[in-house]
Amino acid sequence: MTASKIQDAQPIDTLIVGAGFAGMYMLHKLRELGIGAQVVEAGSGVGGTWYWNRYPGARVDIQSLEYSFGFDAALEAEWHWSERYAPQPELLRYADHVADRFDLKRDIQFNTRITSAHWDNTEGRWLVGSEADEFWACRYLILATGCLSVPTDVTFPGIETFPRPIYRTSRWPREGVDFSGQRVGIIGTGSSAIQSIPIIAEQAVHLTVFQRTPNYSMPAHNGSIPDEDIHARASDPRGYRAASKDTPGGFQNFGNTALATQTSPDEIRAELERRWAWGGFRILGAFADTAIAPAANRIVHDFIAEKIREQVADPAVAELLTPKDHPFGTKRPCVDTGYYATFNRPNVELIDLKSDPLVAFNAGGITTAKRQHDFDAIVLATGFDAMTGAIDRIDLRGVGGRKIKDHWAEGPRTYLGLMVAGFPNMFTITGPGSPSVLTNMINSIEQHVEWIAECLASLAKRQHASIEASAEAETAWCRHVMEAVTPTMMPQANSWYMGANVPGKPRMFMPYAGGLHTYTEICRQVAAKGYEGFVIRNGDSVLSESHDFTSHPPMPDIPEALMPIIIERLMAAGLMPAA
Ligand code: NAP
């Protein structure tokens, strides 16, 4: 960065990058505390995920009563969701409503993409630059850049030769797309595809779905919000929120403590049917051993495979749509409306890329090993460079010019998913190492924003000191993130949680799998112990210093019967000494 740019930099206490739900709430919270803050946002409006992902059928997959802000009782009382799972346009209206209600837009600069952020150790500030060469000098930098905001760079041979439109689900045209009368091809069968396929199939004259790996999908049973939920929230709004946050996933899923491996077939069937009928993610909580014991996982797999066969008329197609390469829940499951039944339509065709690989795009469409497929439009629902993509695309340099890309060369390292050693005064909201994508994002966002705000208020009391994660605490936290996931089968899948969907990305389970409730308590204890694991300085003087992270949670309530398998896995991973 040149001296003139540094001179011209706009001074601000706190720069927040991103105006999704995280950036908006962070701004609101800092204003309440009287801490100066400005948001910069690449898009032209607020809403983050819900601003960009406008593809047909896009909707939230956690019930809207819980996937909405709980920090303000009046906001909560005045907003009425139209459906259990709000569609994207309604979520975007909600984001706009929140921004207007709290008068946030006057401190949000839109159409501004941050491309660099360098720590200036002499002045104790971040110098942050945009694509348009605008600069800010800020004491604190908060990255509210989203976990699933940067699409992967997937491309295909000959893609440039296809002369008609190619749409990405995550960069959908604002004016929408009408596929009426068109032959459409879609690549991918993750959540975005599973939501859009039924809608595109209704419009298109013919839809070809190119599937490489099938996913598990549960019915949303979307519709009006169940009376029991309306009543539960109306009668005790604070209690409803607290119950939602005091869970592993940040939403009420009524996890069963029984083990599938110790339950009779009739009771298993009844429990799974009940949860399937309720819909969404509820089946994830059917039994306490599903994520750990292969036999228990197989029971749920078999149940879902049966449900797929019930919905898909052609047994060969049903078989292709049934996941085989990963245990249930080890990749993020999908929630759909009519996905499987869409394959019964005469205008929908499934191409299995495992047995009929994609060779190239061409002027007509796509050639697979077996034949040519002609299209008027192609949709790429090919996913995101998750969790790290938005951060490591910024030229981000900490103390001594160390680049985040180098610090994260073997996978993202953070302390609590909140800070990175050697990158003082830089916070990530729902960053790698926090529960984030394994939870209801809004509840995780609220927890992070409130923790960061409290931390900044405490630093302000000490004349705006700087805070930094210690290298030791970061290492201990990374180890704990591994300890939390290793007992489960999650590392077995080639998931985006593992970075496996991006060629060359280090394989490492990125989110914290210990649960939002456990994590919240750890963060609370860390702060209560005077910011354990952090070094707080004012200029050259160290105000408080702790290099350890000892606020490990007690082992969560794990049924005794699962302990041998857990211990075996921890020992095999070198996370527990051999007996
Ligand atoms: P995704 O789950 O990563 O799915 C990407 C799909 O594209 C996969 O089927 C993948 O196949 C396929 N693909 C990628 N590269 C390919 C290639 N070169 N050739 C053929 N197929 C290829 O992405 P997503 O559907 O956008 O969802 C990502 C996450 O966003 C979700 O897991 C969820 O957390 C979130 N999301 C949430 C909602 C919601 O809340 N309602 C909706 C959409 C997304 P392979 O599996 O074989 O790699």
Side-chain angles (χ1 to χ4, degrees), residues 413-498:
R413 299 176 54 77
T414 69
Y415 179 38
L416 300 169
L418 278 163
M419 294 199 88
V420 181
F423 292 77
N425 288 1
M426 183 190 90
F427 296 87
T428 51
I429 301 183
T430 62
S434 76
S436 62
V437 291
L438 299 177
T439 69
N440 171 357
M441 287 299 280
I442 292 211
N443 278 342
S444 279
I445 284 169
E446 285 196 349
Q447 185 268 336
H448 261 194
V449 166
E450 286 159 15
W451 192 95
I452 294 169
E454 198 182 301
C455 174
L456 292 189
S458 138
L459 295 174
K461 278 193 207 142
R462 302 174 184 204
Q463 280 74 50
H464 292 296
S466 75
I467 185 163
E468 184 179 351
S470 87
E472 292 84 348
E474 183 182 90
T475 299
W477 181 252
C478 291
R479 183 185 166 92
H480 181 58
V481 170
M482 290 296 295
E483 278 167 358
V485 75
T486 299
T488 75
M489 290 187 282
M490 298 196 83
Q492 293 177 21
N494 286 325
S495 65
W496 57 255
Y497 298 139
M498 294 288 294

Side-chain angles (χ1 to χ4, degrees), residues 49-50 53 55 57-62 67 86 148 152 154-156 169-170 187-195 210-215 281 325-326 331-335 353-354 358 380-384 386 437 494-497 500-501:
T49 284
W50 305 109
N53 289 271
Y55 60 83
R59 64 175 69 247
V60 64
D61 57 9
I62 285 178
Y67 186 91
L148 295 156
T152 51
V154 170
T155 188
F156 298 90
T169 46
S170 53
I187 300 180
T189 47
S191 297
S192 303
I194 280 178
Q195 288 188 331
F210 294 94
Q211 170 186 273
R212 195 165 62 182
T213 314
N215 274 300
F281 290 135
D325 76 329
H326 63 282
K331 281 185 168 186
R332 183 170 157 118
C334 308
V335 175
L353 294 177
K354 291 257 163 72
L358 194 155
L380 302 183
T382 41
F384 298 89
V437 291
N494 286 325
S495 65
W496 57 255
Y497 298 139
N501 65 330

